[in-house]
């Protein structure tokens, strides 16, 4: 079964998919960054770039 979100944006138009190999809503997040308070993604990065 296809998720509705997969139909909304074709892969060729999805910049996030082209750069990272997965859709933005497929990224898993964990704890928050101590410096900026944003969520740290599954690769250890946050919005400010300080978490790793």
């Amino acid at each position: 079964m296809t998720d509705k979100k997969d139909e909304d944006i074709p892969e060729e138009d999805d910049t996030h998919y082209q750069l990272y190999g997965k859709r933005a809503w497929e990224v898993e997040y964990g704890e928050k960054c101590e410096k900026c308070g944003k969520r740290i993604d599954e690769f250890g990065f946050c919005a400010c770039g300080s978490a790793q």
Side-chain angles (χ1 to χ4, degrees), residues 6-19 23 25:
D6 287 341
E7 298 171 6
D8 290 344
I9 305 171
E11 287 180 4
E12 61 271 9
D13 295 334
D14 188 350
T15 305
H16 192 278
Y17 183 83
Q18 292 173 2
L19 291 172
R23 307 289 185 150
W25 53 85

Side-chain angles (χ1 to χ4, degrees), residues 25-36:
W25 53 85
E26 296 174 333
V27 177
E28 296 178 25
Y29 292 93
E31 58 195 57
K32 291 191 175 188
C33 176
E34 295 177 6
K35 294 187 179 186
C36 71

